[in-house]
Amino acid sequence: MHIMVTNDDGIHAPGILALAEALRELGTVTVVAPDRERSAAGHSLTLHSPLRVFELREGFYAVDGTPTDCVNMGIHSLLPVRPHLVVSGINHGANLGDDVTYSGTVAAAMEANLMGIPAIAVSLSTYERHGHFDAAAQVAVRVARQVLANGLPADTFLNVNIPDCAADEMQPPLITRQGMRSFVGKIVDKTDPRGRKYYWIGSEEPDLHDEPGTDFHALNRKHVSITPLHLDLTNYESMKILSGWTL
Ligand code: MN
């Protein structure tokens, strides 16, 4: 088995190192990841500037691009074979609900899914460098083993979120749906040392809708949350309503 690993926190992040190390149990692992933090890059693709690749050591490639660039570089150029699986993570911070559209971690799995390769995004619910990445990596291995053995339903990739706790405190995985939050946006404006204004996109603590069956609900109760995602964003119910419009 050949597994490609990527992330959006950069190739030196503890999460990607723990993940790559653990997945070696299942096969050969090649890491292709951004050379720096690219969180919230979403599904962005670099089309108007060249990309550079740095082989840091055997099977470890840093790319000066986005997570989506890394998947393209890995599959079409750097890996010796087409991988059986792409795993993106372990992200520092959960990727839940509406936030999945911002996530570079989730987008990398989405890109692999578009290429017809089974893919998993894995996130740990912490921003600490010393989170329980090893326990999370063991969860990733278990999910990856299932995907390699059984495949995934058509047009489906997995968004896995893991509570930041020791393995013996963790509750069993639940299959969940994508939740929602009420976002309270905020722009912080300040003045730089040369007297010019600058702005920073901030936010209040998000108000997560803690509804049973959702990713939030599972993670809040220390369950591993596994949400099957697909790229079809069509709102089918709305199609019926809009088809009644006079256009
Ligand atoms: Mn990240």
Side-chain angles (χ1 to χ4, degrees), residues 7-10 37-40 91-93 95 103-105:
N7 75 348
D8 73 0
D9 296 321
E37 160 111 36
R38 299 302 297 260
S39 292
N91 190 58
H92 295 216
N95 277 305
S103 169
T105 304

Side-chain angles (χ1 to χ4, degrees), residues 90-94 96 123-128 161-164 219:
I90 299 168
N91 190 58
H92 295 216
L96 300 166
S123 303
L124 180 64
S125 181
T126 182
Y127 291 101
E128 300 290 328
N161 282 279
I162 301 170
D164 183 31
L219 201 69

Side-chain angles (χ1 to χ4, degrees), residues 73-118:
M73 288 296 303
I75 307 299
H76 297 311
S77 175
L78 298 171
L79 267 68
V81 295
R82 184 176 163 89
H84 300 89
L85 176 67
V86 171
V87 188
S88 177
I90 299 168
N91 190 58
H92 295 216
N95 277 305
L96 300 166
D98 310 316
D99 282 342
V100 299
T101 58
Y102 299 110
S103 169
T105 304
V106 172
M110 192 187 289
E111 185 71 2
N113 174 246
L114 279 172
M115 296 176 182
I117 299 168

Side-chain angles (χ1 to χ4, degrees), residues 22 38 59 78 98 116 118 128 138 140 143 167 214 228 230 245:
R38 299 302 297 260
L78 298 171
D98 310 316
E128 300 290 328
Q138 290 310 315
V143 177
T214 63
H230 64 157
W245 288 12

Side-chain angles (χ1 to χ4, degrees), residues 36-222:
R36 71 201 79 166
E37 160 111 36
R38 299 302 297 260
S39 292
H43 200 189
S44 94
L45 185 63
T46 302
L47 293 179
H48 301 291
S49 61
L51 293 169
R52 309 276 179 193
V53 178
F54 308 90
E55 186 169 10
L56 304 182
R57 55 184 189 271
E58 199 185 343
F60 257 78
Y61 299 93
V63 177
D64 64 345
T66 66
T68 298
D69 294 333
C70 290
V71 173
N72 276 275
M73 288 296 303
I75 307 299
H76 297 311
S77 175
L78 298 171
L79 267 68
V81 295
R82 184 176 163 89
H84 300 89
L85 176 67
V86 171
V87 188
S88 177
I90 299 168
N91 190 58
H92 295 216
N95 277 305
L96 300 166
D98 310 316
D99 282 342
V100 299
T101 58
Y102 299 110
S103 169
T105 304
V106 172
M110 192 187 289
E111 185 71 2
N113 174 246
L114 279 172
M115 296 176 182
I117 299 168
I120 309 168
V122 184
S123 303
L124 180 64
S125 181
T126 182
Y127 291 101
E128 300 290 328
R129 279 189 74 80
H130 301 293
H132 292 80
F133 286 104
D134 289 333
Q138 290 310 315
V139 173
V141 168
R142 292 206 294 278
V143 177
R145 186 180 281 122
Q146 288 297 314
V147 172
L148 288 170
N150 303 318
L152 283 169
D155 304 324
T156 301
F157 62 102
L158 301 182
N159 183 30
V160 179
N161 282 279
I162 301 170
D164 183 31
C165 59
D168 56 357
E169 283 177 61
M170 215 179 277
Q171 300 303 306
L174 294 176
I175 306 302
T176 58
R177 64 185 164 87
Q178 188 182 318
M180 286 174 70
R181 67 169 181 171
S182 304
F183 184 79
V184 184
K186 187 171 85 175
I187 300 291
V188 177
D189 60 287
K190 293 191 181 294
T191 305
D192 76 16
R194 292 180 186 79
R196 290 184 58 195
K197 293 277 272 182
Y198 68 90
Y199 303 88
W200 208 291
I201 294 176
S203 70
E204 306 287 346
E205 272 298 300
D207 178 15
L208 313 179
H209 298 200
D210 194 34
E211 291 170 13
T214 63
D215 46 10
F216 292 141
H217 194 268
L219 201 69
N220 283 346
R221 288 153 186 82
K222 291 195 175 176

